Structure formats: structure tokens, C-alpha cells
Amino acid sequence: MCQFCYIGRPNPFLFEFFRRRFHGSVLYRSLPVPRRHTPYFGQPDYRIYELNKRLQQRTEDSDNLWWDAFATEFFEDDASLTLAFCLEDGPKRYTIGRTLIPRYFRSIFEGGVLELYYNMKHPKESFHNTSITLDCDQCTMVTHHGKPFFTKVCTEGRLILEFTFDDLMRIKSWHFAVRSHRELIPRNVMLSQQDPGMLDQLSKNITRQGITNSTLNYLRLCVILEPMQELMSRHKAYALSPRDCLKTTLFQKWQRMVAPPGKRAARKQATETQRIEFGR
Amino acid sequence: MCQFCYIGRPNPFLFEFFRRRFHGSVLYRSLPVPRRHTPYFGQPDYRIYELNKRLQQRTEDSDNLWWDAFATEFFEDDASLTLAFCLEDGPKRYTIGRTLIPRYFRSIFEGGVLELYYNMKHPKESFHNTSITLDCDQCTMVTHHGKPFFTKVCTEGRLILEFTFDDLMRIKSWHFAVRSHRELIPRNVMLSQQDPGMLDQLSKNITRQGITNSTLNYLRLCVILEPMQELMSRHKAYALSPRDCLKTTLFQKWQRMVAPPGKRAARKQATETQRIEFGR
């Protein structure tokens, strides 16, 4: 009996996939449910494998459009990403919204990373009505750094992902809590350094808990800027002055508080917000 | 247009998979070919992802049966595995047959390896009549070693795999040509060593071209013993003396040379060989 790929026992994800897709159709009953080694549909860890493959395809030329496409492929429109870790001055926890996710991943590479992938050991899936949760207590974020020496940084922690259970299988929430990190250097680099200055450089960590300074700065900036995003979008979309942006935003917030809009009004509101976001 | 997962263009593997499965049936035409992100069927790199997952599940208690099941899951009955690398005294090349494959993988862990996985960058697939070839010029075999210090060994080279193109998608031939290897040690381990004896130990490679001594010894043994395998199988199956085994083997080989058997005889021969192999 195979623990992993449901050989010899029903795969609930596979079953659910076919049920949703073919329920009520003639196909459903006569569909040849794969017998073995094709338990791909609905297995959330394959999506992380695909995410790793996509990250491999990044080049120096990958621009904002590339990163937007990356985020669109793997993250829901209302996704959020949380990173928790402990620095010298205490625990940190950063949560960013969907629009900031592309630049989060980009910031990792801007910090001197040449390669990035996630390695999951014994991830656990759980299946809910409209989502699948993947909980991996032994996840390693591996990054390769080129300067000043080749360094491989392994950031270990718990990764909890929530996927929407549909054809696209995109991530609704990403939560990575860093437990520890390890910076690995090639044996031969260490041996070839006789210069004390170089040895000193060799001894310094190049990340903080596996996170580069550029990512750390980006996350700090996000926390400051995210609440101001509505104001900035309004400024760009309507060319209002900052003061007027603040006024109209506050007025709309107050309106919503005193008279919660009906269904139709709410929909109009949502459409407008979306337009403003895309207009950035 | 996605290079990797055939978004926006026909996936030849997927097409071939459905063609073979449903050709001539009503299903074939009405089958809902997945539109996106489900190009799993027939993608050979997923099989290596699965092989990695299976290797993760190995424990200290994994016995011969476990390794036999592992090999049966991923390798054809007539598979072969070749490892090529360069030692101080010149290039080496070892090819082993199917029966020796389980112990090859086992020997890696017996050499002190705690974890083993293969990481492929930009693998190329090509599709033949009855097989799929995966050619990866940037394959890294990653092994984690615990003693004397935590060490991560990255063995880089070209991996060429030939898969049988059927439901099981098993490997017919595995060819790994090692190009280089890197032994990585944690920065903090290096810094904490002030004792010259320990530093000396730290400077020594624990593998030869990424291959542990136990695997190297096993491969050398295989080359000596594999030609004798027929004799040993015969000895076990019929309880003949070594001299008689040699006699009957030579007689049969001579018989085949002077009078190549017809189809029926050949089939009988094959069945017998198989029985002997399983009777080891």
C-alpha cells in the first residue's frame, strides 16, 4: 500500500476532481479512472513543483510582465502572502496582498539570488469544500547566491498553503514561518582562503534568517505603503491632489460605515476598486 | 506562450496518451482534454519528481523488499543503469542490469547519505514510437551527509533517461555522466573549528566525484560479479556444482551459437532465464 500516491486505495482528490467535472454526464461513469501513477489531478504539491519549474525559467531579462504572469499563474486574485521569522530584536511577521506578491518574489532575485526553489518533505494535504490545504512542517527554501562566493542558503520552516480547489489550483494564502537557516559554502573555497580579510568575509552571513536585505527592505516598505495604496491609486486614476485623495477616501469609508451599501452598490464599488488597481 | 507546459499549443505527449488510450472508442472524441495546468500525463520529469518523493519515504528500516518495490515502481524489468565519471586515474564507466539496481540506490544510503534527490534544470523531452527520452544537461544529484559534519554534496552532470511510453512510464535506461561535484559545509561549522586536527578533517572531501566509497565498491563488485550471475543463479536453482554449472552454461551458449533457436524455443529460453533470476 502506497502512502503517497493512493495506489490501492481511492484518491479523494482524484475522485472529487472527476465528480466535479463529469457529474451528471455519461462520461462520469465510463471514465477510465487512471489505475496507477497518474494521481496528478488535484495534488497540490505538484503545483509547487510547477512553481519551481517556472522560477527556473526566469532570466536576467524577466521584467514586471514576467513576474505578473508568474503571480497570476500561481496566486488567486485575492491571495495573501505571510512571512514570519525571528530577528535579533524579536519575531517579525509580514503579510502582503496580491498586488505586492510579484515584487516580493522579484526582490529575492534582486538581492543577489541566482536560483530559488522550495523543497517539501512529507507535506500533508487536507481537503475542504472549496479549498485544499497543504501543510508542510519540513519545508526548505533553497537559494543560490553568487557573491562574494558561491553560497547555498537553506531556510527551513513550516509552509502552509491554501489552494482554491478548481482547474487552476491557485494559491489563496501562503504562510511561511521560518524556523532556522543554514548557509553552506564550498569546501574548496574555504581552504583556498589564507588571507585573513577574506576569511573574515567568508565568516559573515549574507542573509538574515535566510532572507536577503533587499527582500527585508521590500517587506518593510510594503507594510508602510500598503495602507496608502488606495490613496496612491486614486491619485493616479483621477489626478487628485493627495489632500483631496485623502478626503474622498475618508468620505467613502464613512459612507460605507453609516450606510452599508446594498448588493448592487457593493458590486459597483468592487468594479471600481479593481479598475483603480489595474490603473496603477 | 508557455515553453514548458504547452499552454496555448498542443501537448504531443498528452495527445498521444489519449490517442493510445481511447483510440476507436466513443470517449476519445468527447473526452474533455484538460485546458490548462493539467499536462501531467506523459510528462517524464514528473516521474523523477515521484522518484524523489519515494526516496524521501525511505527510513532506517527500509529493507530489501522496500528497495525491490522502489526499483519495480520506477524501472523496467530489463532496465540498465550507467554511471560515468572521472577519477584520478582516468574515466570510469559502470553499467549494471536491472537486478542490481535496487542495491545501487541502497548503497548510496549505506555510504552515510541521509537524503538523496535529483534536481533537473531545463530537461528536454523527445518522443519516439514506444519510448520518451528525457535529456537533462544540468542535472544535480544532491546528497546530504551527516558525518563528520553536515555536508551537502551536489554532483552535477548530464542525465539521460529513456522511459517506456505506457501507463507505468518506467525507466528503460538511466545514464548519468558526472561533470563535476561540490561539497558544501555550513559556514558556522567552519568557524567553530579552531583545532587544526578538526580543520584538517574539514578540508577532506568525503566523496569521490560525489560518489561515496560504498557505492564505488558496489559498482566495482557488480562489474566482477555480473558476468558470473548466470552461473550463480544456475547453482542456486539446480544445486549443481560450480564446475557443472559452467559446463551446462557453456554447452547452452554453444548450442545457441551453432543452431540459433526458433521463435518457440527462444520464448522457452526466456521464460527459463526469468525464473532463474527470480529464484536468486
Side-chain angles (χ1 to χ4, degrees):
Chain A
M1 182 77 77
C2 163
Q3 274 201 344
F4 211 96
C5 66
Y6 302 104
I7 294 174
R9 64 196 172 103
N11 176 338
F13 304 111
L14 198 61
F15 177 79
E16 189 62 18
F17 178 86
F18 283 113
R19 193 188 66 76
R20 291 190 185 203
R21 214 162 204 176
F22 308 115
H23 193 63
S25 78
V26 187
L27 267 172
Y28 179 48
R29 284 178 144 227
S30 54
L31 200 88
V33 175
R35 276 168 305 141
R36 233 199 134 203
H37 290 313
T38 43
Y40 304 112
F41 289 114
Q43 282 216 352
D45 60 309
Y46 282 102
R47 289 295 283 152
I48 296 307
Y49 176 65
E50 288 187 328
L51 183 138
N52 287 336
K53 285 207 291 191
R54 188 68 68 240
L55 287 174
Q56 270 188 6
Q57 288 165 6
R58 183 206 70 95
T59 65
E60 283 298 310
D61 301 328
S62 296
D63 54 6
N64 277 338
L65 277 177
W66 193 92
W67 284 106
D68 280 342
F70 167 81
T72 306
E73 185 177 349
F74 293 102
F75 291 89
E76 285 291 329
D77 294 341
D78 58 347
S80 71
L81 184 148
T82 300
L83 198 61
F85 49 91
C86 215
L87 291 188
E88 300 77 21
D89 55 338
K92 309 283 169 195
R93 188 194 167 96
Y94 294 99
T95 298
I96 57 173
R98 169 64 181 79
T99 52
L100 301 172
I101 289 175
R103 283 211 55 186
Y104 163 74
F105 283 97
R106 193 175 184 174
S107 76
I108 296 172
F109 291 91
E110 282 169 352
V113 167
L114 305 172
E115 263 184 62
L116 161 67
Y117 62 88
Y118 296 86
N119 195 358
M120 291 189 295
K121 221 175 155 181
H122 311 307
K124 285 180 190 68
E125 304 141 4
S126 57
F127 166 72
H128 318 288
N129 196 27
T130 57
S131 68
I132 300 177
T133 303
L134 191 76
D135 187 341
C136 181
D137 197 47
Q138 293 178 66
C139 176
T140 309
M141 175 177 110
V142 183
T143 51
H144 293 189
H145 305 250
K147 285 176 189 171
F149 312 99
F150 175 85
T151 309
K152 198 165 187 158
V153 179
C154 300
T155 312
E156 286 156 346
R158 182 175 180 181
L159 181 66
I160 305 173
L161 300 175
E162 195 191 349
F163 293 86
T164 302
F165 192 21
D166 61 10
D167 280 21
L168 297 176
M169 279 274 290
R170 296 194 301 179
I171 297 162
K172 281 167 84 160
S173 83
W174 172 296
H175 189 286
F176 188 43
V178 176
R179 200 180 297 121
S180 66
H181 93 295
R182 225 174 207 166
E183 299 200 357
L184 301 162
I185 49 172
R187 209 190 278 284
N188 55 353
V189 164
M190 183 204 81
L191 291 174
S192 62
Q193 302 308 320
Q194 302 298 337
D195 176 17
M198 286 300 244
L199 260 177
D200 194 51
Q201 203 178 9
L202 204 62
S203 68
K204 275 181 198 144
N205 275 343
I206 52 171
T207 67
R208 295 177 72 185
Q209 285 291 305
I211 297 150
T212 62
N213 274 329
S214 84
T215 300
L216 213 52
N217 287 338
Y218 177 64
L219 290 173
R220 282 172 184 152
L221 214 69
C222 285
V223 170
I224 299 166
L225 294 181
E226 202 158 37
M228 289 169 66
Q229 209 178 2
E230 198 175 341
L231 297 179
M232 292 190 289
S233 305
R234 204 174 284 267
H235 168 67
K236 280 201 180 170
Y238 302 112
L240 296 175
S241 73
R243 181 178 293 269
D244 287 342
C245 286
L246 191 59
K247 263 189 199 167
T248 53
T249 304
L250 285 176
F251 178 70
Q252 280 193 1
K253 275 203 195 300
W254 172 79
Q255 264 189 326
R256 265 175 273 167
M257 264 169 60
V258 294
K263 265 199 170 177
R264 204 178 149 186
R267 209 182 305 131
K268 206 188 151 203
Q269 188 74 34
T271 318
E272 189 188 323
T273 313
Q274 203 177 19
R275 190 161 53 82
I276 292 171
E277 283 208 4
F278 279 109
R280 270 176 316 135
Chain B
M1 181 77 75
C2 164
Q3 275 202 345
F4 211 98
C5 67
Y6 301 103
I7 293 173
R9 64 195 171 107
N11 176 338
F13 303 111
L14 198 61
F15 177 79
E16 188 62 19
F17 178 85
F18 283 114
R19 194 189 63 77
R20 291 191 184 203
R21 209 154 209 183
F22 308 116
H23 194 62
S25 78
V26 187
L27 266 174
Y28 179 49
R29 284 176 142 232
S30 55
L31 201 86
V33 175
R35 277 167 305 141
R36 233 198 135 202
H37 291 312
T38 41
Y40 304 113
F41 289 113
Q43 281 217 353
D45 61 306
Y46 282 101
R47 290 295 282 153
I48 296 307
Y49 176 65
E50 289 187 327
L51 184 138
N52 287 336
K53 285 207 292 193
R54 188 70 66 242
L55 287 173
Q56 271 188 8
Q57 289 165 6
R58 183 207 69 96
T59 64
E60 283 298 310
D61 301 329
S62 296
D63 53 5
N64 278 338
L65 277 178
W66 193 91
W67 284 106
D68 280 341
F70 168 80
T72 305
E73 185 177 349
F74 293 102
F75 290 89
E76 286 291 327
D77 294 341
D78 59 348
S80 71
L81 183 148
T82 300
L83 198 62
F85 49 92
C86 215
L87 290 188
E88 300 78 20
D89 56 337
K92 308 283 170 197
R93 188 191 167 96
Y94 294 99
T95 299
I96 58 172
R98 169 65 181 79
T99 51
L100 299 172
I101 289 175
R103 281 212 55 187
Y104 162 74
F105 282 97
R106 193 175 185 175
S107 78
I108 296 172
F109 291 91
E110 282 169 353
V113 167
L114 305 172
E115 261 184 62
L116 161 67
Y117 62 89
Y118 296 86
N119 195 356
M120 291 189 296
K121 220 176 156 181
H122 310 306
K124 284 179 191 70
E125 303 141 5
S126 56
F127 165 72
H128 317 288
N129 196 28
T130 56
S131 68
I132 300 177
T133 303
L134 191 76
D135 187 340
C136 181
D137 197 46
Q138 294 178 66
C139 176
T140 309
M141 175 177 110
V142 183
T143 50
H144 293 188
H145 304 249
K147 285 175 188 170
F149 311 99
F150 175 85
T151 308
K152 199 165 185 155
V153 180
C154 299
T155 311
E156 285 155 348
R158 182 174 179 182
L159 180 66
I160 305 173
L161 300 176
E162 195 190 350
F163 293 86
T164 302
F165 192 21
D166 61 8
D167 281 23
L168 296 176
M169 280 274 292
R170 295 194 301 179
I171 297 163
K172 281 167 84 162
S173 84
W174 171 296
H175 189 285
F176 188 42
V178 176
R179 199 181 296 122
S180 66
H181 94 294
R182 226 175 206 166
E183 300 200 356
L184 301 162
I185 48 173
R187 209 190 279 284
N188 55 354
V189 165
M190 184 204 78
L191 291 174
S192 62
Q193 303 309 321
Q194 302 298 335
D195 177 15
M198 286 301 244
L199 261 177
D200 195 51
Q201 202 179 7
L202 204 61
S203 69
K204 276 183 198 143
N205 274 342
I206 51 170
T207 67
R208 296 179 71 187
Q209 285 292 305
I211 298 149
T212 61
N213 275 329
S214 83
T215 301
L216 213 52
N217 288 337
Y218 177 65
L219 290 173
R220 283 173 183 150
L221 213 69
C222 285
V223 170
I224 299 167
L225 294 182
E226 202 159 36
M228 290 170 66
Q229 209 179 0
E230 197 175 341
L231 297 179
M232 292 191 288
S233 304
R234 205 173 284 267
H235 168 68
K236 280 203 180 168
Y238 302 112
L240 295 175
S241 74
R243 181 178 292 270
D244 288 340
C245 285
L246 191 60
K247 263 189 199 167
T248 52
T249 304
L250 285 175
F251 179 69
Q252 281 192 0
K253 273 202 198 299
W254 172 80
Q255 262 187 326
R256 265 174 271 167
M257 264 166 62
V258 294
K263 266 199 166 172
R264 201 177 152 188
R267 208 182 305 131
K268 205 188 151 199
Q269 189 74 30
T271 317
E272 189 187 321
T273 312
Q274 205 179 15
R275 188 162 52 82
I276 292 170
E277 281 209 5
F278 279 108
R280 269 174 320 136

